[in-house]
Amino acid sequence: MNKVAFITGASRGIGREAALAFARAGFDLAISARTVDEGEQHEHALRDAAGEPLAGSLNSTAAAIRALGRRVLVVPMDLLDSASALTACTQVIAEFGRIDVLVNNAIYQGRDLNSGFLALQPQTLERVFQGYILTPFLLTRAVVENMLEQGGGVVINVTSGAGESDPPVAAEKGGWGYAYGAGKAAVSRLAGVMAAELGDRGICAYTINPGVVSTEALKATIGDKGVIALRAGIAPPQVPAQVMLWLATSPEAPRYQKRTIAAQPFALEQQIVADWR
């Protein structure tokens, strides 16, 4: 029986590349996001410079996975709808009978996420709680309950430097706001708790910080000029994707639990990818 990886936020960016990396390694895939087909409109979604939805969809990712000869299940999921996450877990188990790897990559990305402190509205924090804490917790717990029944599994949570440290400048000058920082700080705490409580029952849990990655979402946030300005400290999404695959498959990986793994230097240190800089 092939192993199964369930990757959230797989319509584009890091999630899409992670899905393709796992497919190339022989995994079957379950992929989730809000955008099933190209061009769909969603509330609280980033848009490109022309005001259009970002490129990418679950079905386009699924087509690329099938072209690699792997099975794939498309499961629509919205982090602001916890029921959709639990339904997604049920659908994946019904289709494959197991989940060996869960990658919690999807995030809420509304433009209000980095509002300044005085401008921040309670509704934004409510969405952050829903999208960064409650729904990921419910999904992860449901998946891990199944992993325990099958004898173990791997959970990889994608955090950010915003959850690890203070912003270098104010939000209106390009730093991150409290809402995003608080949401990612919560993400950063999940894996360590799981490793401490469930490690002796076969669960490995990791926290990975991709660093600055050249995704569609980054371009929509800072523009092409901003991406060019950052090019010396930026990586393609394939880099964190390959680190995730390494964490899920390498016998050396368990010793890197209970810490935040900075994907870009880690990829070079472990010789997971060739130097892209």
Side-chain angles (χ1 to χ4, degrees):
M1 179 181 292
N2 287 322
K3 288 191 172 184
V4 176
F6 181 10
I7 300 178
T8 72
S11 57
R12 62 180 65 90
I14 295 171
R16 174 187 168 89
E17 291 303 326
L20 296 178
F22 276 85
R24 292 187 189 101
F27 282 75
D28 289 330
L29 273 298
I31 55 174
S32 71
R34 291 187 301 177
T35 304
V36 177
D37 292 303
E38 294 281 346
E40 288 181 2
Q41 305 274 349
H42 294 286
E43 189 178 11
H44 309 303
L46 291 178
R47 297 183 183 278
D48 64 21
E52 297 298 321
L54 300 185
S57 68
L58 287 179
N59 279 336
S60 65
T61 302
I65 292 168
R66 293 187 185 105
L68 293 168
R70 305 312 322 162
R71 288 175 63 194
V72 59
L73 176 68
V74 169
V75 279
M77 191 184 86
D78 185 348
L79 289 174
L80 300 185
D81 175 8
S82 295
S84 75
L86 296 177
T87 298
C89 178
T90 299
Q91 290 175 326
V92 177
I93 295 298
E95 176 72 15
F96 294 109
R98 63 187 296 114
I99 298 171
D100 297 280
V101 180
L102 171 65
V103 177
N104 282 313
N105 168 70
I107 61 170
Y108 164 63
Q109 288 185 310
R111 288 195 175 276
D112 57 342
L113 193 56
N114 283 305
S115 296
F117 182 73
L118 294 178
L120 183 59
Q121 298 300 306
Q123 295 87 344
T124 297
L125 290 177
E126 289 170 354
R127 286 190 285 271
V128 167
F129 170 74
Q130 184 83 29
Y132 285 75
I133 301 177
L134 182 59
T135 300
F137 160 72
L138 292 171
L139 174 63
T140 303
R141 186 173 66 177
V143 170
V144 167
E145 286 172 348
N146 283 278
M147 287 178 170
L148 290 171
E149 291 177 5
Q150 70 197 28
V154 175
V155 177
I156 300 171
N157 298 320
V158 181
T159 190
S160 161
E164 305 280 325
S165 60
D166 294 324
V169 294
E172 64 268 19
K173 295 181 180 178
W176 50 85
Y178 172 67
Y180 182 60
K184 282 300 190 180
V187 172
S188 294
R189 300 278 62 80
L190 179 57
V193 170
M194 294 172 60
E197 295 184 8
L198 302 171
D200 60 355
R201 298 176 65 186
I203 301 299
C204 290
Y206 304 95
T207 305
I208 178 174
N209 174 11
V212 181
V213 177
S214 55
T215 63
E216 298 87 349
L218 180 72
K219 294 172 187 175
T221 303
I222 68 174
D224 289 335
K225 290 183 179 178
V227 172
I228 292 170
L230 284 171
R231 66 181 178 271
I234 197 168
Q238 291 86 351
V239 173
Q242 289 297 324
V243 173
M244 291 176 194
L245 178 63
W246 188 91
L247 291 173
T249 58
S250 172
E252 298 297 316
R255 64 193 181 101
Y256 294 100
Q257 296 181 96
K258 298 185 180 180
R259 56 174 280 189
T260 295
I261 298 163
Q264 296 183 31
F266 189 83
L268 297 173
E269 291 163 9
Q270 300 296 323
Q271 299 183 326
I272 296 170
V273 299
D275 195 335
W276 65 93
R277 297 170 297 176

